[in-house]
Short mmCIF file of all heavy atoms in Angstrom, two decimals:
data_model
loop_
_atom_site.label_atom_id
_atom_site.label_comp_id
_atom_site.label_asym_id
_atom_site.label_seq_id
_atom_site.Cartn_x
_atom_site.Cartn_y
_atom_site.Cartn_z
N PRO A 6 -1.69 -14.89 16.78
CA PRO A 6 -1.45 -14.42 15.41
C PRO A 6 -0.07 -14.88 14.94
O PRO A 6 0.82 -15.14 15.74
CB PRO A 6 -1.51 -12.90 15.53
CG PRO A 6 -1.23 -12.62 16.97
CD PRO A 6 -1.72 -13.81 17.75
N VAL A 8 2.13 -13.12 13.30
CA VAL A 8 3.09 -12.06 13.56
C VAL A 8 2.54 -11.22 14.70
O VAL A 8 1.42 -10.73 14.63
CB VAL A 8 3.29 -11.17 12.31
CG1 VAL A 8 4.24 -10.03 12.60
CG2 VAL A 8 3.77 -11.99 11.14
N GLU A 62 -6.45 -5.23 9.84
CA GLU A 62 -5.50 -6.07 9.12
C GLU A 62 -4.25 -5.26 8.81
O GLU A 62 -4.23 -4.04 8.93
CB GLU A 62 -6.10 -6.61 7.83
CG GLU A 62 -6.54 -5.53 6.86
CD GLU A 62 -7.28 -6.10 5.66
OE1 GLU A 62 -6.92 -7.19 5.20
OE2 GLU A 62 -8.20 -5.44 5.18
N ASP A 102 -8.58 0.15 -2.07
CA ASP A 102 -9.72 -0.53 -1.45
C ASP A 102 -9.57 -0.62 0.06
O ASP A 102 -10.54 -0.49 0.79
CB ASP A 102 -9.88 -1.94 -2.04
CG ASP A 102 -10.29 -1.91 -3.51
OD1 ASP A 102 -10.77 -0.85 -3.98
OD2 ASP A 102 -10.11 -2.93 -4.19
N SER A 127 -0.82 11.92 -7.08
CA SER A 127 -1.08 13.31 -7.42
C SER A 127 -2.21 13.51 -8.44
O SER A 127 -2.78 14.58 -8.52
CB SER A 127 0.19 13.98 -7.94
OG SER A 127 0.60 13.37 -9.15
N ARG A 138 -6.02 -2.57 -23.92
CA ARG A 138 -7.28 -2.25 -23.23
C ARG A 138 -7.00 -1.13 -22.24
O ARG A 138 -5.95 -1.08 -21.63
CB ARG A 138 -7.80 -3.47 -22.47
CG ARG A 138 -8.27 -4.56 -23.40
CD ARG A 138 -8.75 -5.77 -22.64
NE ARG A 138 -9.85 -5.44 -21.75
CZ ARG A 138 -10.32 -6.27 -20.84
NH1 ARG A 138 -9.79 -7.47 -20.71
NH2 ARG A 138 -11.31 -5.93 -20.05
N ARG A 142 -9.56 3.88 -13.33
CA ARG A 142 -9.81 3.49 -11.94
C ARG A 142 -9.37 4.61 -11.03
O ARG A 142 -8.40 5.28 -11.29
CB ARG A 142 -9.02 2.22 -11.62
CG ARG A 142 -9.44 1.05 -12.45
CD ARG A 142 -8.81 -0.21 -11.94
NE ARG A 142 -9.29 -1.31 -12.74
CZ ARG A 142 -8.48 -2.20 -13.30
NH1 ARG A 142 -7.20 -2.13 -13.12
NH2 ARG A 142 -8.99 -3.17 -14.01
N MET A 145 -5.88 5.32 -4.88
CA MET A 145 -5.11 6.03 -3.85
C MET A 145 -5.53 7.48 -3.65
O MET A 145 -4.70 8.34 -3.49
CB MET A 145 -3.62 5.98 -4.16
CG MET A 145 -3.03 4.60 -4.18
SD MET A 145 -3.17 3.76 -2.60
CE MET A 145 -2.26 4.84 -1.54
#
Side-chain angles (χ1 to χ4, degrees):
V8 177
E62 60 186 324
D102 293 342
S127 64
R138 291 179 59 190
R142 297 190 178 129
M145 298 299 300

